Amino acid sequence: RYPNDPNNIPLAVGTGAILLWDIPLGFLSKPLRDPIMWGHHVGMFMVAATMTGMFCAGGDMIGHYYASFYFGIIELSGVFLTYVDVFHPKYKYFKAWLDAEHSNKQMMSLKSALNSANELARVLFAVSFLILRGIYFPYVSFFHAIPDLIVAFKNPPEGVPMWTGYFLMGMISSFAILQAYWGLFVGQQVKKTLFGGEKDEKKSGKKKK
């Protein structure tokens, strides 16, 4: 309906990535079978489908102005998380390689570089996640996207069902709360790392005994 709209690209990429990658991987990868993650992926696909105008008689796109944000900007934190996950010591053979004593100087340099890059990626992920998802996502959702939808659906275009507006507002609110919750979780992990939360837990555990 709007072939020249720049928001079409992130909306199309986001929809395709969720439908062809995230949801199928939920069947194949055990860590991704978490019910919350499944609900998140299916919900985001339904939001994207609604934005594309799939449920509108005239194909009118709804709320697609925010597609660049919801399917683009906030995904920046995922770049750093992907690096951390790919080069994570939880993988048996990679950990064995990291723990091994390498006689080759180039291998030692590579090992050191990977460790440094991993630590940097962890920091960048935590910072970008807290800012973009923990704070900015709820802010944009509750102070911009939802108010805009409320105004738009006071007089929706012909062929646009009212339920699509309620659906988008409900889903965006749910995702905003979920992102804020995950942001609190990441913040707690950062706090433990910076202020020695593990030591405090050990001390409290000794007192309980």
Side-chain angles (χ1 to χ4, degrees):
R1 184 67 183 269
Y2 308 102
N4 298 319
D5 195 311
N7 291 290
N8 288 346
I9 296 176
L11 187 57
V13 172
T15 306
I18 295 168
L19 183 62
L20 301 176
W21 183 260
D22 292 334
I23 294 178
L25 279 184
F27 292 98
L28 302 174
S29 177
K30 187 176 180 179
L32 296 178
R33 291 175 196 162
D34 179 72
I36 295 179
M37 291 301 297
W38 267 60
H40 176 263
H41 291 148
V42 173
M44 284 301 293
F45 171 71
M46 292 303 297
V47 167
T50 305
M51 283 184 169
T52 61
M54 179 180 290
F55 305 105
C56 299
D60 288 280
M61 299 177 74
I62 311 167
H64 63 288
Y65 173 81
Y66 291 97
S68 296
F69 173 74
Y70 288 116
F71 296 97
I73 295 173
I74 63 166
E75 296 299 335
L76 177 63
S77 62
V79 175
F80 306 117
L81 178 60
T82 299
Y83 182 88
V84 171
D85 190 58
V86 171
F87 296 98
H88 198 285
K90 66 182 179 182
Y91 300 112
K92 179 181 177 181
Y93 295 106
F94 183 59
K95 187 177 188 306
W97 182 82
L98 288 175
D99 294 339
E101 292 294 333
H102 301 286
S103 57
N104 189 307
K105 290 184 178 180
Q106 290 182 337
M107 294 297 286
M108 289 296 293
S109 298
L110 177 60
K111 174 182 174 180
S112 177
L114 285 175
N115 282 329
S116 299
N118 196 285
E119 290 301 317
L120 177 61
R122 286 175 180 272
V123 172
L124 292 175
F125 163 70
V127 172
S128 61
F129 191 96
L130 286 171
I131 293 174
L132 294 176
R133 291 180 177 266
I135 298 174
Y136 198 46
F137 191 110
Y139 169 74
V140 171
S141 297
F142 290 119
F143 291 93
H144 292 278
I146 293 176
D148 284 351
L149 284 170
I150 292 174
V151 173
F153 274 83
K154 286 181 179 179
N155 185 25
E158 185 178 353
V160 177
M162 283 297 296
W163 71 263
T164 58
Y166 295 126
F167 173 76
L168 285 177
M169 285 184 273
M171 293 301 292
I172 290 173
S173 299
S174 300
F175 286 135
I177 294 171
L178 182 61
Q179 296 296 333
Y181 168 77
W182 282 339
L184 287 174
F185 177 77
V186 172
Q188 289 174 350
Q189 299 304 310
V190 172
K191 182 180 178 182
K192 285 183 179 181
T193 302
L194 295 177
F195 302 104
E198 294 181 359
K199 295 180 180 179
D200 295 337
E201 289 178 2
K202 290 179 180 179
K203 290 180 180 179
S204 62
K206 290 180 180 179
K207 290 180 181 180
K208 291 179 180 178
K209 292 178 181 179

